[in-house]
Amino acid sequence: MTSYGAAKAAAETAVYLLHPDAVVARTSLIIGDGHSAHEQVVHELAAGTREGVSFTDDIRCPVHVADLAAAL
């Protein structure tokens, strides 16, 4: 586990200890209005208008912020 992963796990544990009924949702690639630099890169890579890769060692599924909010 990386220090980043350990920090996330510790924070989740703290939330559960303080609020046992809490929900912790781990998400990836949250998209929204398309104006963030990160989101622009993802759209350009998907459209083939930019060369490069985002991730090569895992599979991620983008989620629109409105859909995520409704699900939570």
Side-chain angles (χ1 to χ4, degrees), residues 6-67:
K8 287 178 73 166
E12 291 169 358
T13 299
V15 167
Y16 286 133
L17 289 173
L18 294 170
H19 301 283
D21 294 331
V23 173
V24 173
R26 287 191 178 191
T27 64
S28 67
L29 298 179
I30 300 170
I31 59 173
D33 60 14
H35 298 296
S36 75
H38 173 76
E39 196 171 341
Q40 286 294 322
V41 169
V42 171
H43 283 289
E44 291 168 4
L45 288 170
T49 58
R50 179 187 189 110
E51 291 187 24
V53 297
S54 287
F55 306 97
T56 60
D57 61 346
D58 60 41
I59 298 171
R60 296 184 179 205
C61 182
V63 60
H64 192 276
V65 66
D67 294 332

